[in-house]
Amino acid sequence: QVQLVESGGGLVQAGDSLRLSCAVSGLTFSNYAMGWFRQAPGKEREFVSRISVAGGPTYYADSVKGRFAISGDNAKNTVYLQMNNLKPEDTAVYYCAAVRRPGTGILPGRYDYWGQGTQVTVSS
């Protein structure tokens, strides 16, 4: 059974940092590209970041570029999202997702597996 489990969310103030983790099981980690998405109440799920494979190319939404960093660890089957200089508009539930390579992209519908999400709340 494929499982993606996010952790690391919490309540922080603007300017603080958090690191989210996504532990993956049930699939061959190196065969999948990984992405992070977020969804605020009443809003559409939006792309945040993706990585083709651990140590591979990365891509970021303009809204988080320069503040967030995605990375992966093949040995631990885990993908991370380091979030720095958080802003109130970053408040959302953050989801990790997997798409089998060579598939990739920024549209949620392209991804095959999803975690349950972790809440990030940033106060002003």
Side-chain angles (χ1 to χ4, degrees), residues 17-74:
S17 298
L18 284 172
R19 189 180 74 160
L20 306 183
S21 298
C22 177
V24 180
S25 62
L27 55 77
T28 302
F29 192 66
S30 61
N31 289 342
Y32 288 78
M34 300 296 301
W36 285 96
F37 295 78
R38 66 188 183 187
Q39 187 168 22
K43 298 183 179 180
E44 296 180 347
R45 188 167 299 188
E46 65 175 350
F47 168 79
V48 176
S49 184
R50 73 169 187 262
I51 186 168
S52 62
V53 67
T58 59
Y59 184 82
Y60 300 91
D62 289 342
S63 59
V64 307
K65 190 175 298 182
R67 298 189 297 120
F68 291 10
I70 190 171
S71 62
D73 187 330
N74 280 332

Side-chain angles (χ1 to χ4, degrees), residues 38 63-64 67-68 85-92 94 120 122:
R38 66 188 183 187
S63 59
V64 307
R67 298 189 297 120
F68 291 10
N85 192 25
L86 284 160
K87 303 176 180 180
E89 49 264 46
D90 296 319
T91 295
Y94 283 71
V120 173
V122 185

Side-chain angles (χ1 to χ4, degrees), residues 76-112:
K76 295 183 177 181
N77 282 9
T78 300
V79 64
Y80 304 95
L81 184 68
Q82 178 67 44
M83 305 185 294
N84 298 322
N85 192 25
L86 284 160
K87 303 176 180 180
E89 49 264 46
D90 296 319
T91 295
V93 176
Y94 283 71
Y95 300 89
C96 64
V99 56
R100 200 177 203 285
R101 297 175 66 199
T104 188
I106 65 172
L107 298 177
R110 293 180 59 86
Y111 286 74
D112 301 310

